[in-house]
Amino acid sequence: MCLAIPAKVVTLEDREAVVELGGNRLCINIVLTPGVKVNQWVLVHAGFAIATIEESDALETWAYLRACYDGDMQGLEGEIGGRRMNAEVSEGVAAT
Amino acid sequence: MNADLMTWRDELALRCERIGREVRIMEVCGTHTVAAFRSGIRSMLPDNLRLISGPGCPVCVTAQRHIDAAIELATLPNVIVATYGDMVRVPGQSGSLERQRANGADVRVVTSASRALSLARKYPDSEIVFLGVGFETTAPATAVTIMDAHRSGIRNFSVLISHKLVIPAMSALLSHGDVPIDGFLCPGHVSVIIGSEAYGPIASRFGKPCVVGGFEPEQMLKALVFLVRQIERGEARIENVYPAVVSGSGNAAAMEILQEVFVSADTPWRSLGVIPSSGFELAPAYRDFDALRRFNIAVGDDVDNPACRCGDVILGRIEPPACELFDNGCTPLSPIGPCMVSSEGTCAAWHKYHKRATATGALS
Ligand code: SF4
């Protein structure tokens, strides 16, 4: 539940940003990373950017995540605290 | 296996052999627990290196009394409880939120505190109670959301505050003193927020090396090597081998927001009891958002199932197979204790990944 995933900022608007995360677009809050810019990479945790990171580090992490969780995105979602990436984009709440 | 990985593995083996006794390193992060199994790191460790899982899974350390309070809140009329997914299955004294939901309670899984606030906007005639669990990584999201609710004048939103702080828990474990620990593999993403320097007291007061590490196999092995180097030399320093992500002082914006919304508070942990200043309560300006206060819920005590040894697991006293119920009545499908519920729980991780589930369980 303390895992954070790298995502690339696509657009910025006030306190929110749209990021690309493993092929999904996700709207996140960027209050915790003031000064973040479009095309920068951030670590996303529970719908919030918590740090900015270098692209090379982000890509390395994604290479690891893909290798480690290959075909098991659900496992990855489980390990980052039940995050449903698509649901978060489309309706915001996974009302299971 | 790549060359770097082999180099780290070999140095680890060499140094552990030179140390010549059991070396006990604790990680305090559910993500490290799982990553160590998943990436195969555990199988690369020298025989005399014990990687112990400490109280690092936020679901597992949530006091039963807070689960009971959440269940009580869910039974109130017109209340919607919004929570991160793993929490719905954690057993309280009687049942779980999942069971309450089957009985008609409105319990929703959300992926972010801000989504819980969206529910409050969407259902203005209902009361939305968000379960604020998690360590320093997660607490800032709760804090920002409470500030947003305050700023927007949203009155039908409140939070059951059950956030936990890592350093007081590490201190409490060391003060207990009954579980020998040679050093800590410190949690990467908690450290994004608090900064690596926050581990100062653990190194200086308790004389334990602290190394902040990432989650990839190479990063974890490297962190373990840095730890055994210190252990071999009898040093106790903070080292950060995850500098791409973790700074010395942490995330200043997040720390400022935490200080604005919360004040530190003595907080109950499952099995560890109440640890001084190990969690938060709301600062006076935000107290209206305290769910316990709003609904006048009294928090009781924990009454753990005596057969479940989660307490010993969380404290690093035993490994899961030492519990008689492990895979023998307690499985992720029908968990008896919280350590089997969360995907990051130590028992669940052992169940899923550990091939030698019947191997010796007791550590000491
Ligand atoms: S195996 Fe189940 S009952 Fe035993 S300690 Fe783990 S969670 Fe508790």
Side-chain angles (χ1 to χ4, degrees), chain B residues 305 307-311 313 318 320-321 323-327 329-331 335-341 346-348:
Chain B
N305 179 335
C308 166
R309 300 191 63 191
C310 272
V313 171
I318 62 162
C323 171
E324 276 184 14
L325 298 175
F326 180 77
D327 277 353
C330 181
T331 62
I336 290 175
C339 303
M340 193 59 100
V341 173
T346 308
C347 295

Coordinates of all heavy atoms in Angstrom, one line a residue, chain B residues 305 307-311 313 318 320-321 323-327 329-331 335-341 346-348, ligand 1:
Chain B
N305 N -8.1 -12.7 18.4 CA -8.2 -14.1 18.4 C -7.0 -14.8 18.9 O -5.9 -14.6 18.4 CB -8.5 -14.6 16.9 CG -8.7 -16.1 16.8 OD1 -8.2 -16.8 17.7 ND2 -9.3 -16.5 15.8
A307 N -5.7 -17.6 18.9 CA -4.9 -18.5 18.1 C -4.1 -17.8 17.0 O -3.2 -18.4 16.4 CB -5.9 -19.6 17.5
C308 N -4.5 -16.6 16.6 CA -3.8 -15.9 15.5 C -2.6 -15.2 16.1 O -2.6 -14.5 17.1 CB -4.8 -14.8 15.0 SG -4.0 -13.7 13.9
R309 N -1.5 -15.4 15.4 CA -0.2 -14.9 15.9 C 0.3 -13.7 15.1 O 1.5 -13.4 15.1 CB 0.8 -16.0 16.0 CG 0.3 -17.2 16.9 CD 1.4 -18.2 17.2 NE 2.5 -17.6 17.9 CZ 3.7 -18.3 18.0 NH1 3.9 -19.5 17.6 NH2 4.7 -17.7 18.7
C310 N -0.7 -13.0 14.6 CA -0.3 -11.8 13.8 C 0.6 -10.8 14.6 O 1.5 -10.2 14.1 CB -1.5 -11.0 13.4 SG -2.2 -11.5 11.9
G311 N 0.3 -10.7 15.9 CA 1.2 -9.9 16.7 C 2.6 -10.3 16.7 O 3.5 -9.4 16.5
V313 N 4.0 -12.0 14.4 CA 4.5 -11.8 13.0 C 4.8 -10.4 12.8 O 5.9 -10.1 12.3 CB 3.4 -12.3 12.0 CG1 3.8 -11.9 10.6 CG2 3.1 -13.8 12.1
I318 N 8.1 -14.2 15.0 CA 8.0 -15.5 14.2 C 7.8 -15.3 12.8 O 7.4 -14.2 12.4 CB 6.9 -16.4 14.7 CG1 5.5 -15.7 14.5 CG2 7.1 -16.8 16.2 CD1 4.3 -16.6 14.6
P320 N 5.5 -16.6 9.5 CA 4.1 -17.1 9.4 C 3.9 -18.6 9.6 O 3.0 -19.1 10.3 CB 3.6 -16.6 8.1 CG 4.3 -15.4 7.9 CD 5.7 -15.6 8.4
P321 N 4.8 -19.5 9.0 CA 4.6 -20.9 9.2 C 4.6 -21.4 10.6 O 4.1 -22.5 10.9 CB 5.7 -21.6 8.4 CG 6.0 -20.5 7.3 CD 5.9 -19.2 8.1
C323 N 2.8 -20.1 12.9 CA 1.4 -20.1 13.4 C 0.7 -21.3 13.0 O 0.7 -21.7 11.8 CB 0.7 -18.8 12.8 SG -1.0 -18.8 13.1
E324 N 0.0 -21.9 13.9 CA -0.6 -23.2 13.7 C -1.7 -23.1 12.6 O -2.1 -24.1 11.9 CB -1.3 -23.8 15.0 CG -0.3 -24.5 15.8 CD -0.9 -25.1 17.0 OE1 -2.2 -25.2 17.1 OE2 -0.2 -25.5 17.9
L325 N -2.3 -21.9 12.5 CA -3.4 -21.7 11.6 C -2.9 -21.4 10.1 O -3.7 -21.4 9.2 CB -4.3 -20.6 12.1 CG -5.0 -20.8 13.4 CD1 -5.7 -19.6 13.9 CD2 -5.9 -22.0 13.3
F326 N -1.6 -21.1 10.0 CA -1.1 -20.8 8.6 C -1.4 -21.9 7.6 O -0.9 -23.0 7.8 CB 0.4 -20.5 8.7 CG 1.0 -20.1 7.4 CD1 0.8 -18.8 6.9 CD2 1.7 -21.0 6.7 CE1 1.4 -18.4 5.7 CE2 2.3 -20.6 5.5 CZ 2.1 -19.3 5.0
D327 N -2.1 -21.6 6.6 CA -2.5 -22.5 5.6 C -3.2 -23.7 6.2 O -3.3 -24.8 5.5 CB -1.3 -23.0 4.8 CG -0.9 -22.0 3.7 OD1 -1.7 -21.1 3.4 OD2 0.1 -22.2 3.0
G329 N -6.5 -23.5 7.9 CA -7.6 -22.7 8.5 C -7.6 -21.3 8.1 O -8.6 -20.6 8.0
C330 N -6.4 -20.7 8.0 CA -6.2 -19.3 7.6 C -5.5 -19.2 6.3 O -4.4 -19.6 6.1 CB -5.4 -18.6 8.7 SG -5.2 -16.9 8.4
T331 N -6.2 -18.7 5.3 CA -5.7 -18.5 4.0 C -6.2 -17.2 3.5 O -7.2 -16.6 4.0 CB -6.2 -19.6 3.0 OG1 -7.6 -19.5 2.9 CG2 -5.8 -21.0 3.4
P335 N -9.3 -15.4 5.6 CA -8.3 -15.0 6.5 C -8.8 -14.9 8.0 O -10.0 -14.6 8.2 CB -8.0 -13.6 6.0 CG -9.2 -13.1 5.3 CD -9.9 -14.4 4.8
I336 N -8.0 -15.3 8.9 CA -8.3 -15.2 10.3 C -7.7 -13.9 10.9 O -8.4 -13.2 11.7 CB -7.9 -16.4 11.1 CG1 -8.8 -17.6 10.6 CG2 -8.0 -16.2 12.6 CD1 -8.4 -18.9 11.2
G337 N -6.5 -13.6 10.5 CA -5.9 -12.3 11.0 C -5.6 -11.4 9.9 O -5.6 -11.8 8.7
P338 N -5.3 -10.1 10.2 CA -5.1 -9.1 9.2 C -3.9 -9.4 8.3 O -3.8 -9.0 7.1 CB -4.9 -7.8 10.0 CG -4.6 -8.2 11.3 CD -5.2 -9.6 11.5
C339 N -2.9 -10.1 8.8 CA -1.7 -10.3 8.1 C -1.9 -11.3 6.9 O -1.1 -11.4 6.0 CB -0.6 -11.0 9.0 SG -0.2 -10.0 10.4
M340 N -3.1 -11.9 6.9 CA -3.4 -12.8 5.8 C -4.4 -12.1 4.8 O -4.6 -12.5 3.7 CB -4.1 -14.1 6.3 CG -4.2 -15.2 5.3 SD -2.7 -15.8 4.6 CE -2.3 -17.2 5.5
V341 N -4.9 -10.9 5.2 CA -5.9 -10.2 4.4 C -5.2 -9.4 3.3 O -5.5 -9.5 2.1 CB -6.8 -9.3 5.3 CG1 -7.7 -8.4 4.4 CG2 -7.6 -10.0 6.3
T346 N 2.3 -10.0 5.8 CA 3.4 -11.0 5.8 C 2.9 -12.4 5.6 O 3.5 -13.2 4.8 CB 4.2 -10.9 7.1 OG1 4.6 -9.6 7.3 CG2 5.4 -11.8 7.1
C347 N 1.8 -12.8 6.2 CA 1.2 -14.1 6.1 C 0.8 -14.3 4.6 O 1.0 -15.4 4.0 CB 0.1 -14.4 7.0 SG 0.7 -14.3 8.8
A348 N 0.1 -13.3 4.0 CA -0.4 -13.5 2.7 C 0.8 -13.6 1.7 O 0.7 -14.4 0.8 CB -1.3 -12.3 2.3
Ligands
SF4_1 S1 -1.5 -17.3 9.5 FE1 -3.5 -16.3 9.9 S2 -4.0 -16.7 12.0 FE2 -1.8 -17.2 11.7 S3 -0.7 -15.2 12.3 FE3 -1.1 -15.2 10.1 S4 -3.1 -14.1 9.8 FE4 -2.9 -14.7 12.0

